[in-house]
Amino acid sequence: MRYILALLLSALLYSAASAQQCNATLSGKILDFHDQTPLAGATVLVIGQEQTAFTGFEGDYQIENLCEGTYEVEVSHPQCRTVLYRIEISGETRIDFEMEHHLEELEEVQVVGELLPENTSTAQEQRLSTATLEGYSGGTLGDALKEISGVSSLNTGSNIVKPSINGLTGSRVLILNDGVRMQDMEWGDEHAPNIDINSADQVSLIKGAAALKYAGDAIGGVVVIERERVANQDTKKKKTLLDGISNGRGGSVSTELTKTFASGWYLNGQASFKRLGDREAPDYILSNTGMQQLGLSFHAGKRLLNQGWDLDYSFYQAEIAILRASHIGNIDDLIESINSGVPSVVEPFTYSLGVPRQEVTHHLGKLNYYMRMKGVGKWTIQYDFQFNQRFEFDVRVGADRDKPAIDLQLTTHSFKTDFTWDASRNLEVTAGLLGRFQDNFANPDTGVRRLIPDYQRYEFGSFAVGEYRPDHNWLFEAGFRYDFSRIDAKKFYRASRWEERGYDVDFPEFVVEDLGTQLLTNPIFNYNNVSATAGVRRALDLQSDIRFNYALGQRAPNPAELFSDGLHHSAARIELGDLRVGNETSHRISLAYNRTGQRWGLNVEPYLNFIRDFILLEPTGVEFTIRGAFPVWSYRQTEARLLGVDVNGYYQWTANWETRHRFSITKGTDLDQDQPLINMPAPITRNELVFHKQEWKHLQIGLESTYVFRQNEYPPNIFVFSPSEQQEVELEINTPPDAYHLLGIRADMEFNISGAVALHTGLTITNLLNTSYRDYLNRNRYFADDLGRNIMVQLKFNY
């Protein structure tokens, strides 16, 4: 009996041991999702079994001696995002895995957000990192962009900052906010971008019209604002920034929460608030220069390898007071302001926002969907909506005291789609279509002649761009774009103005109704624009390359250039558009040498830009109204040439000491008049000495020197009749101020408060020596000095 039991027990043990023998195998190939080419050097790990295989040159892998069952397999590659697959293994199982290997798609999902793909391969492009943008959390987008060589700004005080790229601004500079072209009445000199800088994770700047996939009319350049790309993993990130600002006695707060899931879903919310009182020059208060700003944004979506969608909404609201002394009653006030050297109004500090002031509100909504097709490419479709409302309040009395002098509402609907064919490792081609409808409503209840009329604009565009890489050293880029634009306006003209401008001869068909002293007109214009680009990039070694690019860009005139007709209150001038204004055509040639090494780096970017029928706004005289005499600024077209160079570099002297250097110069010439162009930036050089030591809580301290030369090339001043002196006098409205030199300090440290909480501290001091100066591109230079010393303290919490 014992013998029988022992025999049965042995049989059972042998059966169990046999059942546990793991003879299954898993094999296959690791392939590039786009072109189905094999990937060498990939790793395949069966989680739980801890068995690993590596692919060879043909992308083959094989793992033996696996037990049958359901497993998670991790597939990784040094140049790809790691992916997880859930599979069933039974017997000899063969499965081919696909990975995102193209550099563009890899960079799209980086968690850090610092390595987003270039928007053009041969044009001059620079970018600002997340850390740099966070340093300007209490400032503006225009302030941050001046960190890039070749970028200046057209200011109205310190709160209204419009970026200027190599001397070009306004409608010539496109701002792309997370894939949406901003439509925020950018045509006004005192209309700053309606963007909360705290909503941006990275900013790229492309000089010239080379980025045809975005637009063909951005002959100055494109500012691309991007959010951090999400990773497909279960994680939550929170960030809060607190800024204290001494000049203005205020500050800002911004907070952001991002939640991502391994399934591809993500949620992001961000909010910020900024409040400042009157700003201060070194010797006096700049009365009525405070501001208040609120920004909100929400993003949600699902992003997978083969498809995904995004839903975005952002809200921006700002109330900006404009220097009270800049509100002139007549031409004698302007002459006195220029000659006196001190503002005519200086009052005690206050947080009140008086008049003149602006109130702007901007809503933006976007829905985006993409689908990747194996071995073919990526298709994207997007709809976006924008609503922009602008109030401008003037100094008024009586029943109109609280009524805006300008009330504009701009509604924009855009639809676009594009397809990128990237099945080849050497060639990539993108083609797309765009449709846009825009409606502008100028409220007549202001009681003031409307500066910009009601209009509707229709736009259609198509483009194709491609890149060819014959080998690792050469890259060729070319593109073509066509845009159609139609503007249909309804505008009242004074009969005397209509005849004075000669419109009764050139455009009699526009008159809809003759009301005696006024004419109701219906101007309709169609514009056809063609843009193109071609360029080449040559890698010299692993650290340096040279680039050449030619860009042809055409731009249709904006509504202000066509229809302006009246007193622009926040600008304190009469602006006159011209219905005869046509397309601008830019021919831009650029070179670039780039070297980025551990010890030293250098970037040199010379450029030449010929612009046919360049549209400019310049002072032409004076006009008397019931409120007094005001300078008249008129639009006209000319042949223009812009020539310049941007240089930046760095040198690592020791392990802890580094110097950084930037220099820019632009020369603009009105070829028809043989005189300098108005509002060209003065030459500028910035140099910084930086000490950094990682062991000391990531300490970094920098002393920056900024020297702005005097702009010695400017158009001649005009002579106007002075009512007080009863004679012609020179109005030095074009004369630039003197050169100036500013010093600044920046310091940063990081502290690990706990395992999950990190604190970053920052100190920035601008105009360290409290120097009195005026900047040529600040429209308030006629009335007051620029900002005095400003101390900013920042606390950033990551948790």
Side-chain angles (χ1 to χ4, degrees), residues 40-43 76-81 99 101 106:
T43 303
S76 60
H77 188 276
Q79 297 179 357
C80 301
R81 179 173 59 88
M99 303 192 74
H101 182 255
L106 164 66

Side-chain angles (χ1 to χ4, degrees), residues 606-641:
Y607 60 89
L608 176 63
N609 195 354
F610 287 100
I611 306 178
R612 193 180 73 234
D613 297 323
F614 179 74
I615 305 172
L616 59 86
L617 177 63
E618 63 183 1
T620 54
V622 64
E623 187 169 302
F624 295 87
T625 71
I626 59 173
R627 294 190 49 205
F630 287 86
V632 176
W633 289 63
S634 303
Y635 289 96
R636 69 173 174 91
Q637 290 188 282
T638 187
E639 303 299 298
R641 181 188 66 218

Side-chain angles (χ1 to χ4, degrees), residues 722-735:
S722 169
S724 64
E725 298 187 24
Q726 289 296 299
Q727 63 178 352
E728 292 278 325
V729 298
E730 183 180 11
L731 181 63
E732 295 190 75
I733 201 167
N734 290 330
T735 302

Side-chain angles (χ1 to χ4, degrees), residues 493-505:
Y493 279 93
R494 293 200 311 268
S496 58
R497 178 81 76 191
W498 185 260
E499 295 173 1
E500 168 200 309
R501 306 289 288 177
Y503 295 158
D504 57 328
V505 177

Side-chain angles (χ1 to χ4, degrees), residues 476-496:
F476 298 90
E477 179 182 46
F480 177 84
R481 184 180 181 102
Y482 167 76
D483 288 281
F484 170 79
S485 176
R486 177 184 178 91
I487 189 165
D488 185 342
K490 294 288 181 63
K491 179 172 175 60
F492 285 96
Y493 279 93
R494 293 200 311 268
S496 58

Side-chain angles (χ1 to χ4, degrees), residues 258-329:
T258 302
K259 173 62 179 173
T260 61
F261 302 87
S263 60
W265 287 91
Y266 74 90
L267 294 169
N268 172 271
Q270 180 265 336
S272 70
F273 179 78
K274 180 166 66 174
R275 185 76 165 93
L276 295 172
D278 287 339
R279 313 305 290 271
E280 299 178 39
D283 299 319
Y284 43 77
I285 299 291
L286 299 170
S287 296
N288 198 51
T289 54
M291 64 94 65
Q292 180 172 295
Q293 176 184 300
L294 173 66
L296 301 170
S297 65
F298 172 78
H299 312 278
K302 186 175 184 178
R303 302 184 66 87
L304 298 174
L305 175 65
N306 58 339
Q307 64 177 340
W309 59 269
D310 302 281
L311 177 64
D312 305 304
Y313 170 77
S314 66
F315 171 80
Y316 174 90
Q317 186 179 65
E319 189 173 357
I320 304 172
I322 298 173
L323 181 70
R324 180 64 178 85
S326 69
H327 179 86
I328 59 173

Side-chain angles (χ1 to χ4, degrees), residues 162-363:
K162 290 178 68 69
S164 175
I165 304 174
N166 295 145
L168 299 176
T169 187
S171 297
R172 300 180 184 95
V173 174
L174 182 156
I175 297 181
L176 197 77
N177 186 4
D178 196 27
V180 178
R181 176 171 182 165
M182 292 295 293
Q183 302 287 339
D184 51 2
M185 308 184 200
E186 77 290 337
W187 41 262
D189 284 349
E190 71 291 347
H191 298 180
N194 294 170
I195 293 175
D196 175 18
I197 192 173
N198 294 286
S199 66
D201 290 310
Q202 183 166 291
V203 173
S204 302
L205 185 136
I206 307 161
K207 299 173 182 177
L212 293 187
K213 62 182 177 181
Y214 302 132
D217 59 347
I219 63 179
V222 181
V223 178
V224 182
I225 300 172
E226 299 162 300
R227 289 191 298 109
E228 183 180 62
R229 301 305 180 186
V230 297
N232 292 353
Q233 59 186 40
D234 289 316
T235 186
K236 181 166 60 176
K237 296 196 307 179
K238 292 178 282 186
K239 178 177 70 175
T240 298
L241 289 95
L242 303 173
D243 290 275
I245 303 171
S246 68
N247 198 324
R249 309 181 195 181
S252 67
V253 57
S254 173
T255 188
E256 181 178 7
L257 170 64
T258 302
K259 173 62 179 173
T260 61
F261 302 87
S263 60
W265 287 91
Y266 74 90
L267 294 169
N268 172 271
Q270 180 265 336
S272 70
F273 179 78
K274 180 166 66 174
R275 185 76 165 93
L276 295 172
D278 287 339
R279 313 305 290 271
E280 299 178 39
D283 299 319
Y284 43 77
I285 299 291
L286 299 170
S287 296
N288 198 51
T289 54
M291 64 94 65
Q292 180 172 295
Q293 176 184 300
L294 173 66
L296 301 170
S297 65
F298 172 78
H299 312 278
K302 186 175 184 178
R303 302 184 66 87
L304 298 174
L305 175 65
N306 58 339
Q307 64 177 340
W309 59 269
D310 302 281
L311 177 64
D312 305 304
Y313 170 77
S314 66
F315 171 80
Y316 174 90
Q317 186 179 65
E319 189 173 357
I320 304 172
I322 298 173
L323 181 70
R324 180 64 178 85
S326 69
H327 179 86
I328 59 173
N330 52 58
I331 198 69
D332 283 326
D333 290 348
L334 181 56
I335 295 172
E336 182 180 352
S337 295
I338 292 175
N339 293 336
S340 68
V342 295
S344 59
V345 178
V346 177
E347 297 176 346
F349 174 89
T350 179
Y351 288 99
S352 299
L353 306 179
V355 290
R357 74 176 185 276
Q358 301 178 0
E359 293 180 9
V360 293
T361 303
H362 193 85
H363 299 265

